[in-house]
Amino acid sequence: MNCKYNSWWLKLFQVCALLSLVNAEDFYKLLGISKTATLKEIKKAYRQKSLEYHPDKNKEEGAAEKFAEINRAYEVLSDDEKRQIYDRHGEEGLKQHEAGGGGGFGGGFGGSPFDDFFGFGQRQRHDQEQRTPSVDIPLELSLEQLYKGETFEVSYVRQVLCLRWEMCMKPNQECQAPGIRVKRQQIAPGFVQQFQQHDERCVAPGKMWLNNCSECPSKTETEKIDLTIDVAKGMRPGEAITFEGVTDEKPGYKPGDLNFIVNEKPHKEYHRDGDHLYKTMEIPLVDALTGFSVTLTQLDGEEFTVKIDDIVECDHVLRVPGKGMPRRSGRGYGDLYITFEVDFPDELTPTQKQQIREILSGKTQDSSSSKSDSEL
């Protein structure tokens, strides 16, 4: 009984020892995923890696330690709160959070300087976290693309923090925020003057960058990420397709947003206002007087016919229901408004003028009737 009990504790100690070997290696690289990976991608990568390094299947030296690291990486990245803390403060910051019971930072340490070093002690600082600049990129789209919707695969190049950037920081309580250093100077017994100055070495509250640090000489490195842009049907000019937190990284800053701003190209036939389309057509005078039909092509290539039997006045506007742009709400379509411009002939012969006058005044019918009566 005692042997079994001791054996169980021995196994537990071995597991704890393995977990303690989890070092600061980047969790994303451990799983072979990007920092923008979705939960589905994280789970898929974890299954592959855990099968590869499972101690029951992989007997190579170091496989068990690697398996423990992979489990730790998945535990963190599959939890939204832990992942956010890890992305902002690294593994050391995550350990501080977990040591404090996960209910906020600083409460478990009695307000020690270590709280200020990681910026966990004051909620106000967290709320005022600075961001790198957001980036707006114009997205030139044709009216056809906005009508049908479209998907684009694009690449974006940004600057990301190097793997061991946290090794290049040292505690400095004079650093109040990125680029801001507050110094105190005693000017008389019991009187201290406090003044603020700009210092690029301050990268976060309580953190100062070490110059010429071999672990991360340039602070950042270039990374190319692949993005999928989904253009929804009926999107309007000026709308933004936003990817949150994917612009340049910088110590002490949260990455800004990448915005693709919809810009609508001019169209040779239609112009747009909201969900409605507008078109101007020129018709000859004979069609305006006698009626006509015309076949039009929608922006998706489908054809439809408009038939008019009434007399069309100059600048008459015809509303064709449901032939406009897809509504942004996703329910139905706007309308098409056609403005007709009547093309009058440049000149008429005397005979043509007389015939038109007779037709419009009704004299031709009266003359025919009189002739028939006289013949009788």
Side-chain angles (χ1 to χ4, degrees), residues 61-122:
E61 184 178 353
E65 290 85 347
K66 195 74 171 180
F67 181 73
E69 294 176 7
I70 291 168
N71 277 277
R72 172 61 172 164
Y74 176 70
E75 175 195 346
V76 172
L77 299 184
S78 62
D79 184 290
D80 287 341
E81 183 184 7
K82 290 181 179 180
R83 183 178 181 180
Q84 289 178 11
I85 295 169
Y86 175 76
D87 287 344
R88 291 172 182 166
H89 307 289
E91 190 176 5
E92 286 302 319
L94 182 62
K95 288 178 180 178
Q96 285 298 84
H97 167 69
E98 292 173 335
F105 304 105
F109 299 95
S112 71
F114 205 56
D115 295 340
D116 285 335
F117 176 73
F118 285 102
F120 294 155
Q122 301 180 28

Side-chain angles (χ1 to χ4, degrees), residues 156-200:
Y156 179 72
V157 178
R158 63 174 184 167
Q159 295 297 313
V160 296
L161 295 171
C162 55
L163 181 61
R164 301 178 65 84
W165 67 275
E166 288 184 313
M167 303 297 292
C168 294
M169 291 189 297
K170 65 178 181 179
N172 190 314
Q173 299 308 311
E174 292 183 349
C175 290
Q176 299 297 306
I180 298 176
R181 184 175 183 179
V182 175
K183 301 193 75 172
R184 296 171 177 83
Q185 181 178 5
Q186 185 172 346
I187 57 177
F191 292 93
V192 177
Q193 180 187 24
Q194 180 174 289
F195 57 95
Q196 180 177 300
Q197 62 181 197
H198 180 75
D199 192 334
E200 282 294 334

Side-chain angles (χ1 to χ4, degrees), residues 5 55 64 69 101 118 137 165 179 185 208 210 230 307 315 325:
Y5 183 76
E69 294 176 7
F118 285 102
I137 299 177
W165 67 275
Q185 181 178 5
M208 177 173 280
L210 291 171
D230 290 317
K307 185 176 182 180
D315 294 328
M325 294 293 291

Side-chain angles (χ1 to χ4, degrees), residues 26-275:
D26 184 78
F27 288 162
Y28 293 99
K29 291 189 177 182
L30 267 174
L31 296 181
I33 56 177
S34 69
K35 292 186 178 181
T36 59
T38 63
L39 181 59
K40 183 178 179 181
E41 292 170 335
I42 293 171
K43 289 181 177 179
K44 181 180 179 181
Y46 168 70
R47 285 195 296 268
Q48 294 173 344
K49 292 290 185 180
S50 61
L51 287 173
E52 180 182 353
Y53 290 98
H54 196 284
D56 291 341
K57 296 183 177 181
N58 193 327
K59 302 300 182 182
E60 294 181 3
E61 184 178 353
E65 290 85 347
K66 195 74 171 180
F67 181 73
E69 294 176 7
I70 291 168
N71 277 277
R72 172 61 172 164
Y74 176 70
E75 175 195 346
V76 172
L77 299 184
S78 62
D79 184 290
D80 287 341
E81 183 184 7
K82 290 181 179 180
R83 183 178 181 180
Q84 289 178 11
I85 295 169
Y86 175 76
D87 287 344
R88 291 172 182 166
H89 307 289
E91 190 176 5
E92 286 302 319
L94 182 62
K95 288 178 180 178
Q96 285 298 84
H97 167 69
E98 292 173 335
F105 304 105
F109 299 95
S112 71
F114 205 56
D115 295 340
D116 285 335
F117 176 73
F118 285 102
F120 294 155
Q122 301 180 28
R123 178 61 181 268
Q124 183 178 3
R125 290 182 184 175
H126 175 76
D127 292 340
Q128 295 176 350
E129 185 174 23
Q130 298 188 52
R131 297 167 62 95
T132 59
S134 293
V135 176
D136 293 342
I137 299 177
L139 184 62
E140 301 286 340
L141 298 170
S142 68
L143 202 53
E144 286 85 356
Q145 290 172 315
L146 292 171
Y147 185 93
K148 295 181 291 185
E150 196 152 337
T151 299
F152 299 93
E153 300 292 336
V154 300
S155 296
Y156 179 72
V157 178
R158 63 174 184 167
Q159 295 297 313
V160 296
L161 295 171
C162 55
L163 181 61
R164 301 178 65 84
W165 67 275
E166 288 184 313
M167 303 297 292
C168 294
M169 291 189 297
K170 65 178 181 179
N172 190 314
Q173 299 308 311
E174 292 183 349
C175 290
Q176 299 297 306
I180 298 176
R181 184 175 183 179
V182 175
K183 301 193 75 172
R184 296 171 177 83
Q185 181 178 5
Q186 185 172 346
I187 57 177
F191 292 93
V192 177
Q193 180 187 24
Q194 180 174 289
F195 57 95
Q196 180 177 300
Q197 62 181 197
H198 180 75
D199 192 334
E200 282 294 334
R201 294 176 299 168
C202 289
V203 295
K207 301 179 186 179
M208 177 173 280
W209 190 262
L210 291 171
N211 292 329
N212 302 318
C213 177
S214 60
E215 297 287 349
C216 188
S218 60
K219 294 186 183 180
T220 60
E221 57 191 17
T222 301
E223 178 187 66
K224 184 171 77 170
I225 57 175
D226 296 324
L227 302 172
T228 300
I229 301 176
D230 290 317
V231 179
K233 293 181 178 180
M235 288 194 77
R236 300 180 179 182
E239 283 194 69
I241 301 172
T242 299
F243 295 87
E244 297 181 354
V246 300
T247 59
D248 291 344
E249 296 180 353
K250 187 177 179 181
Y253 289 77
K254 182 179 179 181
D257 298 335
L258 177 61
N259 304 305
F260 290 91
I261 309 299
V262 173
N263 189 11
E264 183 181 292
K265 297 178 183 178
H267 196 272
K268 63 180 181 179
E269 290 188 35
Y270 298 100
H271 74 270
R272 177 189 186 184
D273 185 5
D275 296 329

